[in-house]
Amino acid sequence: DGTEVEVNRLHRQANVYVAALTRGAQRATCSPDPQGRGDARVSTLALNAWRTRPGMVWQRREAVRLGVLFPGCAFKIGYDPGRGSPIERTWMEVVPPWEVVLDRNATSLKAERYRGHLYYQEKGEVEQRYPQLAGHLSGSARADFFEGPISGTERTNNPAPGGASPDDGEFVRVFEFVNKKDTVRGSGGDLYEGRLEVWVLDQKGEVSNEPVACGPLPFADADGTGLPHVRPLIFDNEPGYPFKPVAPVDRLLPQAVETNQY
């Protein structure tokens, strides 16, 4: 009778991919250090205790889902100062791909020059975090990524009390820029390779001309090399360009289209 039925094969394939990579029974294992530093058993217990905290499984699943449907995403790692268990004070959040800044022209992992996290934050929170900016910031409405690049997508924000949209408040754009090539001196006078710069963008006057904070990279590996706090999660990339991500569903889409056409 001329009836045509389209089958959404991408949904099933993406869900299978996500389920295979985010099994709840997964555990990390740490190997002994060749130079005898640290305790592999304690490190394994601490890492697994952190990975199994409430909400962590959901975050890993959300990151994998974003990495499958979009061209890459990232994890952002940090810790809250204070007392108490360091496992509880260490946090991780998933950075969506439209907030990740990557050195897409780098031809190898070693050649990477920068990476970063570009996001909106309420003006008051930024002024509280950086008191020197109080009274100098001008806010604007927060743009919705899905309004432009993805046509035909509808999203409805829950209205705030009084009928105002949650995105009508005053927001500023904050850019956490991991500069992997330049150096910076720490508080003790030591010279560090790589630095973390925090910029507040789209501001009048001199506010956006200089970073509001600049210091060494927040983490380091065993030999003291600085490590960024933003870690890309890329499943597929253009050959020769490790930081030019390609969404895995883009590889599957032509097959799904051909099947439905057939």
Side-chain angles (χ1 to χ4, degrees), residues 3-7 9 253-262:
T3 302
E4 294 183 359
V5 178
E6 291 190 359
V7 180
R9 295 178 178 269
L253 183 59
Q255 302 173 21
V257 171
E258 185 176 356
T259 299
N260 278 297
Q261 288 176 344
Y262 176 77

Side-chain angles (χ1 to χ4, degrees), residues 13-156:
Q13 292 172 314
N15 283 344
V16 169
Y17 206 140
V18 172
L21 294 178
T22 58
R23 291 176 296 173
Q26 288 178 335
R27 294 292 183 270
T29 302
C30 298
S31 302
D33 182 81
Q35 300 183 16
R37 298 170 296 186
D39 188 318
R41 177 178 173 274
V42 173
S43 299
T44 299
L45 293 174
L47 181 57
N48 285 318
W50 181 73
R51 293 178 71 252
T52 55
R53 290 173 51 198
M56 292 291 285
V57 174
W58 179 87
Q59 284 189 314
R60 294 200 301 273
R61 185 177 293 115
E62 188 70 8
V64 172
R65 183 177 289 109
L66 285 170
V68 170
L69 298 178
F70 296 96
C73 64
F75 290 107
K76 184 176 173 182
I77 310 294
Y79 57 89
D80 297 323
R83 299 181 178 181
S85 169
I87 295 177
E88 297 297 327
R89 290 189 289 112
T90 304
W91 51 264
M92 180 184 76
E93 66 180 36
V94 180
V95 180
W98 49 89
E99 293 184 359
V100 182
V101 177
L102 298 174
D103 184 4
R104 299 173 181 268
N105 293 323
T107 55
S108 67
L109 300 178
K110 187 176 181 180
E112 182 192 18
R113 297 165 296 172
Y114 60 84
R115 68 178 65 163
H117 181 200
L118 178 62
Y119 57 95
Y120 283 93
Q121 190 170 15
E122 289 187 353
K123 186 177 71 170
E125 295 178 358
V126 176
E127 292 177 339
Q128 184 177 5
R129 184 180 175 187
Y130 303 105
Q132 72 271 26
L133 298 178
H136 299 285
L137 297 181
S138 58
S140 61
R142 181 172 53 181
D144 190 345
F145 168 82
F146 288 97
E147 290 181 354
I150 301 181
S151 60
T153 301
E154 296 181 0
R155 285 203 347 173
T156 303

